[in-house]
């Protein structure tokens, strides 16, 4: 609801504060709930904010209710916690069984379990791109000045097909396609690890020096679009260039772009394309 | 045909000579065609053998025909060559167009293209496990003394489902499943690289110290079983143990096991299970 207060449960990275700024620019009163060890308080100095440990669901709920908050955005990075990292407060204790159950089900399961707890308490989880659409790939075609050429279009399609095929599994949403075949698929190592591996295969000669290739990032089929969206940013552009890839294929409205202006300028500078498909 | 002469086109590793020995033990006259830079002549001192460069198809064909050979096994490792590595001889020149076409299609395409050339010249490609069934997982259940316990069975099934989902793509045939989800999927880095990555994620804390987990190796659906079978061996067992995994899931008659007796003894020693599913 435009104008209604909004809570942002913030993990690491620049995206949470960007979403907070976009929400405020759209006329919303923002409360930033910073996850301890992930979000930095100084980044949110301009916002009403408070830091919470994992498990302080009772305190979080009290803070939200005191501000009349019904809508919540989950955004930013969070290293998958161990069960021991979660110190439940009094308000969280009754949900502990559900959290333990969720932990058994991998990242997807953990996240859905936590969202279900918030929803059971009357909060609505909002897609960050609904709050800040300009932070995504908000149109199709090349987002910067560099265009995808030659086989890149077919390779993006191949990468999207791999991500689609892996949708039933709780596994990465990124793949590198080169010379017409997938050469690296993201697992628990994350996109940084994936791109470092491609760079290493390039150095060792396992991938050809001038192979080109593309990084494809897209949400899985059936993914909860309100959380855990694939993200790219300046570090992705640099790693793509270092891995000897020609560019990045994304899906329109499917990924978040951290520091978008900087990311696109860097992509132009390094000759990396960012191509959004419908 | 039992007793008929057999050619073994040998790449690197111990498996080619093991297949040659098994074929000879079964009463066949063996000719070992050693791929230059991959197979070592000294390993085949006990066999009629000759070394061929990539592209010496004319010489190979002459050698086969002089020995009355109609059946050929392709076996062993070969780093994917670049087109420039192939020096066609006179007998190969007419197939160059087909080879270049095959190169465009990734590993699967390259291999099928080369097989098609052999077949067009009247040779029959034979499954190495048909020649040497004992080199594979020739029964179901634990192959060594260590048994798969707890969630391992479900994790093997999950890994097989991932490999099945990836079957349409020219990509690896190995996956590591841990805590119920795929954490690493093999691409062009190969199984050694896959397991090194799991070990690294274990060290960095991205995977839990005592996570367990299994390596699953199986042929893709629709894979040409006569070539490029997934293989495990002593180095796989060591890498699995170093990666903190509990064992290996394979499919009966689906993988080759290099130095089988040594592999099973090492698995017993390191507490690694090898479980073959039907």
């Amino acid at each position: 609801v435009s104008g209604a207060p909004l809570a942002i449960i913030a993990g690491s990275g620049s995206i949470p504060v960007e979403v907070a700024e976009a929400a405020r620019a759209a006329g919303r009163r923002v409360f930033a709930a910073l996850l301890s060890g992930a979000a930095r308080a100084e980044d949110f100095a301009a916002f009403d904010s408070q830091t919470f440990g994992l498990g302080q669901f009772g305190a979080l709920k009290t803070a939200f209710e005191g501000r009349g908050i019904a809508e919540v955005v989950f955004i930013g990075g969070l290293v998958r916690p161990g069960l021991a990292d979660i110190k439940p407060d009094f308000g969280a204790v009754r949900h502990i069984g559900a959290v333990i159950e969720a932990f058994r089900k991998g990242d997807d399961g953990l996240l859905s379990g936590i969202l279900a707890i918030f929803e059971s308490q009357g909060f609505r989880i909002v897609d960050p791109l609904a709050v800040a659409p300009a932070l995504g790939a908000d149109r199709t075609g090349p987002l910067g000045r560099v265009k995808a050429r030659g086989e890149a279009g077919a390779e993006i399609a191949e990468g999207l097909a791999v991500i689609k095929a892996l949708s039933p599994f709780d596994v990465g949403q990124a793949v590198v396609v080169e010379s017409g075949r997938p050469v690296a698929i993201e697992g628990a190592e994350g996109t940084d690890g994936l791109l470092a591996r491609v760079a290493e295969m390039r150095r060792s000669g396992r991938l050809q020096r001038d192979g080109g290739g593309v990084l494809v990032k897209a949400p899985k089929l059936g993914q909860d679009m309100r959380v855990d969206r694939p993200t790219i940013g300046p570090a992705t552009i640099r790693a793509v260039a270092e891995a000897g890839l020609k560019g990045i294929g994304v899906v329109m409205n499917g990924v978040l772009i951290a520091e978008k202006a900087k990311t696109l300028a860097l992509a132009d500078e390094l000759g990396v394309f960012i191509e959004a498909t419908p």
Side-chain angles (χ1 to χ4, degrees), chain A:
Chain A
V1 187
S2 175
L6 177 75
I8 294 178
I9 298 187
S12 61
S14 64
I15 289 255
V17 73
E18 294 183 68
V19 172
E21 284 161 355
R24 185 160 63 186
R28 304 194 64 159
R29 190 153 44 79
V30 171
F31 172 61
L34 312 182
L35 294 176
S36 174
R40 292 180 309 184
E42 62 264 37
D43 294 342
F44 294 87
F47 293 90
D48 175 20
S49 76
Q50 191 178 330
T51 297
F52 298 88
L54 296 176
Q56 289 191 273
F57 182 71
L60 199 69
K61 194 179 164 195
T62 303
F64 287 2
E65 287 171 350
R67 288 164 176 84
I69 287 167
E71 291 192 343
V72 180
V73 169
F74 279 74
I75 186 76
L78 185 63
V79 174
R80 180 183 163 86
L83 251 184
D85 299 326
I86 298 188
K87 317 278 185 229
D89 67 10
F90 192 75
V93 163
R94 56 179 289 226
H95 303 294
I96 273 295
V99 169
I100 290 172
E101 182 55 31
F103 253 88
R104 295 185 191 284
K105 294 180 181 162
D107 282 356
D108 286 0
L110 179 56
L111 210 45
S112 333
I114 286 168
L115 297 189
I117 294 170
F118 274 84
E119 288 172 331
S120 76
Q121 299 301 302
F123 298 111
R124 203 152 65 81
I125 316 298
V126 181
D127 178 357
L129 277 182
V131 171
L135 298 187
D138 49 6
R139 58 195 171 80
T140 59
L143 301 185
R145 285 202 306 267
V146 187
K147 294 196 172 82
R149 282 187 168 63
E151 296 188 353
E155 289 178 344
I156 293 171
E158 175 91 350
L160 293 174
V162 169
I163 292 169
K164 184 177 170 186
L166 287 173
S167 289
F169 308 99
D170 185 5
V171 69
Q173 307 175 99
V175 57
V176 172
V177 180
E178 182 162 314
S179 305
R181 65 189 183 126
V183 296
I185 299 176
E186 183 179 312
E189 75 279 11
T191 304
D192 295 349
L194 175 81
L195 291 171
R197 177 159 84 253
V198 173
E200 168 55 31
M201 289 195 282
R202 187 88 57 205
R203 279 190 293 272
S204 71
R206 198 176 272 271
L207 296 178
Q208 290 176 44
R209 297 278 146 172
D210 56 350
V214 299
L215 168 69
V216 181
K217 284 202 80 156
K220 293 182 281 194
L221 281 184
Q223 185 184 2
D224 189 333
M225 288 298 198
R226 302 167 303 170
V227 288
D228 192 32
R229 273 187 183 275
T231 301
I232 63 171
T236 320
I237 303 297
R238 259 180 240 110
V240 159
E242 278 162 22
L245 301 174
K246 291 206 168 75
I248 305 174
V250 299
V251 173
M252 186 177 83
N253 295 328
V255 298
L256 279 162
I257 305 177
E259 302 176 80
K260 191 170 177 183
K262 185 175 166 186
T263 297
L264 297 185
L266 189 61
D268 288 349
E269 186 192 324
L270 297 179
V272 168
F273 69 75
I274 307 175
E275 174 82 18
T277 61

PDB file of all heavy atoms in Angstrom, chain A residues 15 48-49 75 98 150 169 220:
ATOM      1  N   ILE A  15      22.188  -3.594  -1.572  1.00  0.00           N
ATOM      2  CA  ILE A  15      20.794  -3.627  -2.034  1.00  0.00           C
ATOM      3  C   ILE A  15      19.788  -3.248  -0.942  1.00  0.00           C
ATOM      4  O   ILE A  15      18.855  -2.483  -1.212  1.00  0.00           O
ATOM      5  CB  ILE A  15      20.460  -5.027  -2.612  1.00  0.00           C
ATOM      6  CG1 ILE A  15      21.173  -5.219  -3.947  1.00  0.00           C
ATOM      7  CG2 ILE A  15      18.977  -5.214  -2.745  1.00  0.00           C
ATOM      8  CD1 ILE A  15      20.298  -5.105  -5.167  1.00  0.00           C
ATOM      9  N   ASP A  48      15.033   5.076  10.447  1.00  0.00           N
ATOM     10  CA  ASP A  48      14.641   4.453  11.705  1.00  0.00           C
ATOM     11  C   ASP A  48      15.090   2.990  11.620  1.00  0.00           C
ATOM     12  O   ASP A  48      14.648   2.258  10.727  1.00  0.00           O
ATOM     13  CB  ASP A  48      13.104   4.553  11.822  1.00  0.00           C
ATOM     14  CG  ASP A  48      12.574   3.813  13.046  1.00  0.00           C
ATOM     15  OD1 ASP A  48      13.351   3.560  13.990  1.00  0.00           O
ATOM     16  OD2 ASP A  48      11.361   3.511  13.040  1.00  0.00           O
ATOM     17  N   SER A  49      16.029   2.591  12.491  1.00  0.00           N
ATOM     18  CA  SER A  49      16.519   1.212  12.372  1.00  0.00           C
ATOM     19  C   SER A  49      16.818   0.598  13.728  1.00  0.00           C
ATOM     20  O   SER A  49      16.946   1.302  14.738  1.00  0.00           O
ATOM     21  CB  SER A  49      17.776   1.165  11.498  1.00  0.00           C
ATOM     22  OG  SER A  49      18.894   1.633  12.225  1.00  0.00           O
ATOM     23  N   ILE A  75      15.551  -8.768   2.367  1.00  0.00           N
ATOM     24  CA  ILE A  75      16.499  -8.441   1.304  1.00  0.00           C
ATOM     25  C   ILE A  75      17.942  -8.409   1.811  1.00  0.00           C
ATOM     26  O   ILE A  75      18.196  -8.010   2.946  1.00  0.00           O
ATOM     27  CB  ILE A  75      16.099  -7.087   0.645  1.00  0.00           C
ATOM     28  CG1 ILE A  75      16.964  -6.766  -0.562  1.00  0.00           C
ATOM     29  CG2 ILE A  75      16.148  -5.955   1.651  1.00  0.00           C
ATOM     30  CD1 ILE A  75      16.613  -7.561  -1.768  1.00  0.00           C
ATOM     31  N   ALA A  98       8.946 -25.243  14.312  1.00  0.00           N
ATOM     32  CA  ALA A  98       8.795 -24.983  12.875  1.00  0.00           C
ATOM     33  C   ALA A  98      10.142 -24.634  12.249  1.00  0.00           C
ATOM     34  O   ALA A  98      10.432 -25.021  11.121  1.00  0.00           O
ATOM     35  CB  ALA A  98       7.796 -23.848  12.648  1.00  0.00           C
ATOM     36  N   GLY A 150      26.333 -12.791 -31.946  1.00  0.00           N
ATOM     37  CA  GLY A 150      26.665 -14.149 -32.377  1.00  0.00           C
ATOM     38  C   GLY A 150      25.861 -15.198 -31.613  1.00  0.00           C
ATOM     39  O   GLY A 150      24.637 -15.117 -31.567  1.00  0.00           O
ATOM     40  N   PHE A 169      15.024 -28.697  -7.771  1.00  0.00           N
ATOM     41  CA  PHE A 169      16.042 -28.946  -6.762  1.00  0.00           C
ATOM     42  C   PHE A 169      16.446 -27.643  -6.074  1.00  0.00           C
ATOM     43  O   PHE A 169      16.383 -26.574  -6.671  1.00  0.00           O
ATOM     44  CB  PHE A 169      17.261 -29.613  -7.406  1.00  0.00           C
ATOM     45  CG  PHE A 169      16.893 -30.833  -8.205  1.00  0.00           C
ATOM     46  CD1 PHE A 169      16.755 -30.761  -9.580  1.00  0.00           C
ATOM     47  CD2 PHE A 169      16.620 -32.033  -7.563  1.00  0.00           C
ATOM     48  CE1 PHE A 169      16.387 -31.877 -10.311  1.00  0.00           C
ATOM     49  CE2 PHE A 169      16.247 -33.152  -8.288  1.00  0.00           C
ATOM     50  CZ  PHE A 169      16.120 -33.078  -9.666  1.00  0.00           C
ATOM     51  N   LYS A 220      14.570 -19.623 -10.461  1.00  0.00           N
ATOM     52  CA  LYS A 220      14.031 -20.928 -10.809  1.00  0.00           C
ATOM     53  C   LYS A 220      12.528 -20.821 -11.052  1.00  0.00           C
ATOM     54  O   LYS A 220      11.871 -19.913 -10.527  1.00  0.00           O
ATOM     55  CB  LYS A 220      14.242 -21.897  -9.641  1.00  0.00           C
ATOM     56  CG  LYS A 220      15.669 -22.224  -9.375  1.00  0.00           C
ATOM     57  CD  LYS A 220      15.801 -23.221  -8.254  1.00  0.00           C
ATOM     58  CE  LYS A 220      15.648 -22.540  -6.900  1.00  0.00           C
ATOM     59  NZ  LYS A 220      16.089 -23.413  -5.795  1.00  0.00           N
TER      60      LYS A 220
END
